[in-house]
Amino acid sequence: MKARHFTYVSHPARVIFGSGTVGQLPDEVDRLNAQRALILSTAAQQGDAEALADRLGPRVAGIFPGAVMHTPVEVSVLATERARELGADVLVALGGGSTTGLAKAIALRTDLPQIILPTTYAGSEMTPILGETSDGQKRTQSSPKVLPEVVIYDVDLTLGLPVGLSGTSGINAIAHAVEALYARDRNPVIEALAIEAIGALARALPRIVAAPRDPAARSEALYGAWLCGVCLGSVGMALHHKLCHTLGGSFDLPHAETHTVVLPHALAYNAPAIPDAMAALVRVLGPDPAAALFALGRKVGAPAGLAALGMPTDGVDRAVDLALSNPYWNPQPLERAGLRDLIARACDGGPPRSL
């Protein structure tokens, strides 16, 4: 075996994991020497944000229930202005990737510390990556300013997550770990975490479909999502994430569902160039990992194709053009014909096909 060469960078973050851990939020605010928390949520989770405000009492400066999908820049600017008006000295985000993204966007502009309480399996709470949408395109950047200082994982916050969203959110998380296995800057630490994470979620998601409030299944899924987030925050991204950012930002497709549809196809496209990653995936997903991920989507009730999510059939060529503009590094060369077939199959809902 030849010697391995790699660089591993660990991002600082305080992680609290368990059941009932939301009760530690006041102590975490105090630990940051903060006194004026701005609580962030979506409109749908405003009631949960208000309950969280009751827990914090006088430490709350206000609530901003305006987080939306794909983090539009205009919402980021509005929320940042609100944080400044209120004199907020800490951001508390309750929700999934949309709310976490908004907290990061405010932190980028203000350098306020963040405490994230995930209610889905998005994983973005563990990354220094922010994606914002403007002029119909989603653009990503990486900065230590957007890495949350504290993440409180409370399994109880996920017990009521609808089965459908649980499934797509979980497969979205799996995508982070899958791409970490063949990232240009991959390393053995992240590879080990990725396989552990994929296995945990692949086991947990069907159990959640069968018993949505099973705390053991929910705990395993949240554990897997945490590790997937670590993977996403530690190494670069490739074709899958480029496609999802393109499709989501340009066609306003739902984030987790888009990841769920695209992942098997992107993996099949890259399969010929990543034999070691495919061998590792076989250990946790079975002999045909791309087909297994496609089947997992059906088990959790996710749509099979992008057309069901609102992708116009005449948008395939535009999506290919966008994917080829400023492309991410990818182990398999990006070729127009192959990409067009990938996106067209993902749009129609057909099974993945390797090159």
Side-chain angles (χ1 to χ4, degrees):
M1 179 179 176
K2 64 180 181 180
R4 302 185 68 170
H5 297 271
F6 60 88
T7 299
Y8 170 66
V9 177
S10 177
H11 295 295
R14 178 175 169 86
V15 175
I16 300 167
F17 190 102
S19 175
T21 48
V22 68
Q24 298 182 43
L25 176 60
D27 291 339
E28 292 303 311
V29 171
D30 291 344
R31 197 183 64 83
L32 292 171
N33 295 317
Q35 297 178 339
R36 295 186 61 78
L38 175 60
I39 300 177
L40 308 172
S41 74
T42 62
Q45 291 183 295
Q46 182 173 353
D48 297 325
E50 290 170 351
L52 206 61
D54 290 340
R55 283 182 178 271
L56 286 176
R59 301 176 183 87
V60 176
I63 298 173
F64 185 90
V68 293
M69 188 172 61
H70 302 309
T71 317
V73 168
E74 58 268 25
V75 176
S76 301
V77 171
L78 181 63
T80 300
E81 292 173 352
R82 183 65 174 152
R84 287 173 173 152
E85 289 170 0
L86 293 170
D89 57 7
V90 65
L91 304 169
V92 176
L94 175 71
S98 297
T99 308
T100 300
L102 180 59
K104 289 180 171 185
I106 300 171
L108 179 69
R109 293 164 171 83
T110 63
D111 210 20
L112 288 174
Q114 305 168 70
I115 302 175
I116 311 295
L117 293 95
T119 61
T120 71
Y121 306 130
S124 58
E125 65 276 357
M126 294 305 300
T127 80
I129 302 166
L130 168 64
E132 288 185 289
T133 303
S134 62
D135 302 323
Q137 291 193 43
K138 191 168 188 176
R139 299 172 177 86
T140 62
Q141 59 180 300
S142 181
S143 169
K145 291 176 69 174
V146 307
L147 182 71
E149 280 72 14
V150 181
V151 181
I152 300 177
Y153 289 105
D154 190 332
V155 176
D156 298 350
L157 295 178
T158 68
L159 293 178
L161 187 65
V163 167
L165 182 54
S166 298
T168 55
S169 178
I171 297 176
N172 174 23
I174 288 174
H176 307 330
V178 167
E179 286 223 312
L181 290 172
Y182 55 78
R184 178 166 49 182
D185 51 354
R186 65 189 180 276
N187 62 73
V189 175
I190 295 303
E191 289 170 2
L193 292 180
I195 289 300
E196 173 77 1
I198 294 165
L201 279 159
R203 291 188 300 269
L205 294 179
R207 292 167 56 198
I208 289 171
V209 172
R213 298 188 69 84
D214 178 356
R218 289 290 185 178
S219 182
E220 186 168 30
L222 193 59
Y223 165 73
W226 165 44
L227 296 183
C228 288
V230 173
C231 293
L232 177 65
S234 301
V235 295
M237 296 175 285
L239 175 63
H240 169 81
H241 281 82
K242 174 64 177 183
L243 288 177
C244 291
H245 291 160
T246 294
L247 294 165
S250 300
F251 299 97
D252 197 30
L253 303 185
H255 182 81
E257 291 87 343
T258 301
H259 277 270
T260 299
V261 171
V262 170
L263 178 59
H265 300 279
L267 179 60
Y269 182 96
N270 280 324
I274 53 169
D276 291 345
M278 295 303 291
L281 287 169
V282 165
R283 299 201 303 268
V284 288
L285 294 176
D288 188 340
L293 290 170
F294 184 79
L296 182 59
R298 310 292 73 71
K299 288 179 183 176
V300 302
L306 297 173
L309 304 178
M311 173 76 177
T313 54
D314 61 359
V316 171
D317 288 315
R318 181 184 171 216
V320 174
D321 290 340
L322 290 169
L324 288 171
S325 65
N326 299 314
Y328 295 174
W329 175 88
N330 195 66
Q332 181 76 8
L334 301 183
E335 299 178 350
R336 179 173 292 275
L339 280 178
R340 193 187 191 289
D341 180 70
L342 184 167
I343 296 172
R345 293 177 71 82
C347 190
D348 295 340
R353 180 171 64 192
S354 297
L355 293 177

